[in-house]
Amino acid sequence: MSINILLGPPGSGKGTQAKRLVAKFPLTHLSTGDILRDAVSKETALGLAVKALMAEGKLVDDDTVNGLVFARLQDETQGVLFDGYPRTIHQAEALQQFMSSKGLSLGSVVLVEVPREVLEARVVGRRVCTGCGEIYHLATKPPKQDGVCDLCGSPLKHRSDDTAEAFRKRMDEFDSTFLPLLGFYQRQPGFHAVNGDQDPNSVFEQLQTLFQENA
Ligand SMILES: [Zn+2]
């Protein structure tokens, strides 16, 4: 069984690509969110601990996330594709240890790379309808009439989360955790990067080639 990992910043499209990859290759898609929700709904001991943390609005700590992931891996018979895990270098190191103890090997680790200014433009140009929630983009999906929803005629809004300032603050926080994690995987033999700043079909083509080589 091989362990494969997709890495990338929020907005890189890696979640969508992960779904397409598992439809094509014999891999199970494992995202941390799904694993956490699954444990909570099955009310396992760790699941109950997660539920309590979430109810208090706290982040689920690395050891708990690792415990849930490793329990899931015990049940897997085919390879897995992680999306959003490992999130920290501590999680990555623990995963590495778990894998060597079980004789599991690392397959492909692929970074979906998108330049910071492209991610920023995607976020900052976003406008949301205050009526029906439809999402527009000033450059790629503008409304027919400025500031007005095509579907329901309500005014469009620039959310405070979508300002350049909010975006940069979020990305700085993300980088402080992500860059050490990326450094860890860049030293692994199965590491590759693909250009995520092109149409999703071309990104998928490149990913497919990498996963075929490593399969
Ligand atoms: Zn609307």
Side-chain angles (χ1 to χ4, degrees), residues 113-132:
E113 208 165 17
V114 181
R116 183 57 44 93
E117 60 276 17
V118 172
L119 290 175
E120 183 172 324
R122 284 181 191 170
V123 167
V124 172
R126 201 185 283 156
R127 297 293 181 274
V128 183
C129 173
T130 51
C132 69

Side-chain angles (χ1 to χ4, degrees), residues 43-149:
E43 303 195 320
T44 61
L46 275 176
L48 292 173
V50 168
K51 196 177 178 177
L53 284 171
M54 286 169 139
E56 291 171 48
K58 287 184 183 156
L59 269 180
V60 182
D61 58 279
D62 283 346
D63 291 338
T64 305
V65 173
N66 287 333
L68 288 169
V69 170
F70 301 162
R72 262 311 287 273
L73 287 178
Q74 312 267 26
D75 301 336
E76 286 298 331
T77 49
Q78 56 177 11
V80 301
L81 177 62
F82 282 124
D83 153 26
Y85 176 88
R87 199 183 60 81
T88 66
I89 190 154
H90 179 241
Q91 291 180 357
E93 285 165 351
L95 175 65
Q96 192 90 333
Q97 267 182 10
F98 176 82
M99 285 169 56
S100 15
S101 75
K102 300 285 172 192
L104 300 173
S105 59
L106 196 60
S108 302
V109 181
V110 187
L111 168 68
V112 181
E113 208 165 17
V114 181
R116 183 57 44 93
E117 60 276 17
V118 172
L119 290 175
E120 183 172 324
R122 284 181 191 170
V123 167
V124 172
R126 201 185 283 156
R127 297 293 181 274
V128 183
C129 173
T130 51
C132 69
E134 180 76 358
I135 295 171
Y136 295 85
H137 193 281
L138 298 183
T140 56
K141 190 194 168 191
K144 292 195 184 80
Q145 194 192 332
D146 261 4
V148 179
C149 179

